[in-house]
């Protein structure tokens, strides 16, 4: 029972954080995932792989994830 309560608490907290940190309109990682209060992104050099990943265009929020064979996950 104790494990179930911990599990439910963790799921509820995760859902709460996701509601605050996900911007469904964001088109890149930097825009889609806002940082919680008190956090800041680390510096990345211009033209680095980290900068590329942060600014790489994302698909629309809610787009299904497809497997290698094209089937939905």
């Amino acid at each position: 029972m104790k494990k179930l309560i911990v599990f439910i608490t963790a799921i509820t907290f995760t859902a709460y954080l996701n509601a605050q940190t996900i911007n469904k309109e964001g088109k890149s990682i930097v825009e889609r995932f806002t940082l919680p209060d008190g956090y800041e992104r680390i510096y990345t050099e211009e033209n680095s792989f980290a900068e590329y990943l942060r600014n790489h265009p994302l698909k629309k929020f809610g787009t299904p994830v497809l497997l290698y064979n094209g089937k939905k996950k």
Side-chain angles (χ1 to χ4, degrees):
M1 184 66 168
K2 193 174 190 179
K3 288 182 181 181
L4 179 61
I5 293 171
V6 170
F7 177 74
I8 291 172
T9 303
I11 295 296
T12 304
F13 183 70
T14 302
Y16 169 76
L17 285 179
N18 285 342
Q20 289 189 330
T21 60
I22 296 177
N23 172 13
K24 295 179 181 180
E25 303 300 319
K27 298 186 186 313
S28 68
I29 288 178
V30 172
E31 294 174 0
R32 177 122 358 129
F33 300 99
T34 58
L35 296 176
D37 293 337
Y39 287 82
E40 59 184 53
R41 294 190 195 278
I42 61 170
Y43 170 78
T44 57
E45 293 184 24
E46 194 173 326
N47 298 319
S48 67
F49 186 62
E51 182 193 31
Y52 166 79
L53 289 177
R54 283 184 183 179
N55 296 297
H56 188 73
L58 297 174
K59 294 187 177 196
K60 288 184 179 181
F61 184 81
T63 301
V65 176
L66 302 178
L67 298 173
Y68 69 95
N69 58 5
K71 292 183 179 180
K72 288 183 182 180
K73 183 173 181 181

